[in-house]
Amino acid sequence: MTVQKTLSILKPDVTRRNLTGKINAKIESAGLRIIAQKRLWLTRAQAEGFYAVHAERSFFNDLCEFMTTGPVVVQVLEGNDAVAAYRDIMGATNPANSAEGTIRKEFAESIEANSVHGSDSEENAANEIAYFFSQTEIVG
Ligand code: IDP
Ligand code: MG
């Protein structure tokens, strides 16, 4: 096991339904520590930049639109194998396929409005963290 950091985003469907605390409780119950956190209203350019790897996907425009419909909460999570650990508690992208007890199973509204983002590799985590946070904002 290695201590890792990962980038989490609580998406606009979470802030709209006032579920920030409920999701944070699930994150902390899983042993992950929230070592940086801020609430932002992403611009279209910020959303497009963040999801640039998906630029060719059919859902890219809708996704960027959705991500700017309200505030998000961006977070840095730290813990043992944090990248995989967070992906585990997030559940599958499509909540119809998410396992019981996962965040998306419990809270996601749809495959698009699926409540949370989590980095999918340690390398992407480092890039995604740097996209939103400066080193001085991360307090482990
Ligand atoms: P992930 O968030 O589970 O890593 P990705 O494939 O990286 O899933 O997709 C990024 C985000 O794009 C998803 O979380 C979801 O919000 C949205 N998305 C993915 N696939 C679809 C789709 O088929 N239709 C609509 N939105 C999608
Ligand atoms: Mg992804």
Side-chain angles (χ1 to χ4, degrees):
M1 276 194 305
T2 52
V3 176
Q4 294 177 336
K5 294 180 180 64
T6 193
L7 191 278
S8 164
I9 305 178
L10 311 188
K11 296 184 179 183
D13 64 286
V14 169
T15 58
R16 176 168 46 77
R17 290 176 292 158
N18 206 24
L19 293 170
T20 299
K22 286 210 167 96
I23 308 257
N24 280 353
K26 284 191 92 87
I27 290 169
E28 293 183 337
S29 297
L32 294 165
R33 305 182 72 85
I34 301 165
I35 63 168
Q37 176 170 256
K38 57 190 171 189
R39 183 172 161 112
L40 303 172
W41 197 314
L42 297 181
T43 64
R44 180 75 185 210
Q46 280 178 305
E48 288 179 356
F50 182 75
Y51 281 117
V53 292
H54 293 311
E56 304 308 318
R57 307 284 288 275
S58 59
F59 58 79
F60 177 72
N61 275 321
D62 285 347
L63 173 62
C64 293
E65 179 70 27
F66 163 65
M67 291 299 287
T68 61
T69 56
V72 299
V73 179
V74 293
Q75 308 172 312
V76 180
L77 310 182
E78 185 176 72
N80 288 324
D81 297 326
V83 171
Y86 191 42
R87 296 289 305 189
D88 279 351
I89 64 161
M90 284 165 57
T93 307
N94 186 345
N97 303 325
S98 300
E100 287 300 328
T102 60
I103 292 169
R104 284 165 165 172
K105 179 73 174 186
E106 195 167 339
F107 298 111
E109 296 183 312
S110 66
I111 189 170
E112 177 180 83
N114 60 2
S115 302
V116 284
H117 167 86
S119 309
D120 61 9
S121 71
E122 205 169 7
E123 186 187 353
N124 286 341
N127 291 332
E128 291 177 2
I129 289 168
Y131 191 80
F132 287 116
F133 292 96
S134 64
Q135 278 307 314
T136 54
E137 293 176 307
I138 302 167
V139 185

